[in-house]
Amino acid sequence: MILTVVLIVAAPGLAFGLWFCWACVIPSSTFFRPVLVRGPREGKRISLTFDDGPAAQFTEQVLDILREHHVPATFFVCGKNVEEHPDLLRRIVAEGHEVGNHTYSHLHIFFKSRRRMAEEIDRTQEIIEKVTGFRPKIFRPPYGARWFGLIPILLGRGMHLILWSVAGYDWKKDMRGITEAVMRRLKPGAVILLHDGRETRSAAEIDRSRTVLALPGIIAGARRRGYTFAPLKDFLPST
Ligand SMILES: [Zn+2]
């Protein structure tokens, strides 16, 4: 009897919690839209994305591999890191890759005001524009988090919200684990999440060597299965 009462009382809270997790946390959720989680199913095109850079050493290594294999990619950069490594952002652009906004300080946007979110996005837009001469049209929130007020900010700036459909889990897996995580979930239109930097202030704490080691195997493995690498802009609705 008591258990039944507890369940009846707790059920709405539990349901709300599950809905909240789906809407704000799960990368594939589409409650906050428009959003791009995955590209078109037709054709065997996939797209590589790298978050949290630019970072000394690792961004360069990732760029070297992409150049060697003629693979386009997208870099979702933090404004703070661009201030420290403007040359790396210039190289990203010079080598034909796309650039997206990933906030200034790698802000977790849960429970943040619209003003705070806009500040982080705008500050990063300005920094990127100063270095490259253009303002990105794509935004990926740190941790894939979404929050109320984000969509109007992006729409007001003509920006697209980008999540991902395949995570490499390169923040916790080794080289082999990263490659397996990507290859296992690869499907046409996949948007693959990897990292060339890290949301830390200390350069000594950044180690993306496992991502760098895994990348050639991911490229080769995907091509063996008939996939081609497309720029993320090919996955967006034409404007
Ligand atoms: Zn991030």
Side-chain angles (χ1 to χ4, degrees):
M1 176 65 184
I2 292 172
L3 187 66
T4 309
V5 171
V6 168
L7 280 175
I8 288 169
V9 171
L14 186 66
F16 175 78
L18 289 172
W19 171 83
F20 180 85
C21 283
W22 173 78
C24 301
V25 182
I26 305 298
S28 60
S29 85
T30 52
F31 176 76
F32 293 93
R33 63 178 98 175
V35 60
L36 178 81
V37 173
R38 182 179 161 186
R41 269 69 166 166
E42 55 278 355
K44 288 190 82 175
R45 293 175 300 160
I46 55 177
S47 199
L48 277 176
T49 66
F50 295 87
D51 288 11
D52 299 359
Q57 184 184 345
F58 302 106
T59 301
E60 289 168 296
Q61 291 174 344
V62 166
L63 286 169
D64 289 346
I65 295 166
L66 296 175
R67 184 165 61 185
E68 188 188 334
H69 296 277
H70 306 285
V71 171
T74 301
F75 291 78
F76 287 93
V77 298
C78 293
K80 173 88 173 62
N81 296 338
V82 174
E83 283 178 337
E84 285 170 27
H85 304 289
D87 287 351
L88 289 179
L89 186 63
R90 280 187 208 105
R91 184 177 163 196
I92 288 170
V93 174
E95 298 191 0
H97 303 294
E98 289 177 69
V99 175
N101 185 319
H102 197 49
T103 74
Y104 178 78
S105 64
H106 207 264
L107 180 78
H108 204 311
I109 62 171
F110 280 0
F111 298 100
K112 297 298 185 299
S113 68
R114 193 191 277 205
R115 200 174 130 224
R116 178 90 176 90
M117 288 189 282
E119 268 170 16
E120 285 263 340
I121 291 169
D122 290 341
R123 190 173 177 189
T124 302
Q125 291 291 82
E126 281 157 26
I127 292 164
I128 293 171
E129 186 177 26
K130 223 167 105 184
V131 174
T132 66
F134 69 87
R135 288 180 170 243
K137 290 285 181 197
I138 48 178
F139 173 78
R140 175 178 281 160
Y143 314 100
R146 280 133 291 165
W147 195 245
F148 304 93
L150 175 64
I151 295 293
I153 292 171
L154 298 179
L155 290 178
R157 289 152 181 76
M159 298 175 80
H160 298 273
L161 174 61
I162 312 289
L163 274 297
W164 62 85
S165 62
V166 175
Y169 297 98
D170 52 348
W171 57 92
K172 62 178 182 183
K173 289 185 183 286
D174 62 10
M175 180 196 102
R176 202 174 159 163
I178 296 166
T179 310
E180 281 172 4
V182 172
M183 298 311 297
R184 202 170 41 239
R185 298 197 57 210
L186 215 50
K187 287 185 181 142
V191 176
I192 301 162
L193 169 70
L194 293 168
H195 295 79
D196 61 320
R198 193 178 158 190
E199 69 291 1
T200 173
R201 293 280 189 267
S202 161
E205 290 174 45
I206 301 172
D207 179 9
R208 292 301 182 194
S209 56
R210 293 170 303 176
T211 308
V212 170
L213 285 170
L215 188 53
I218 291 171
I219 294 169
R223 282 181 167 159
R224 260 199 311 275
R225 280 161 60 172
Y227 289 102
T228 55
F229 290 91
L232 202 54
K233 65 175 182 317
D234 288 3
F235 287 180
L236 290 168
S238 47
T239 45

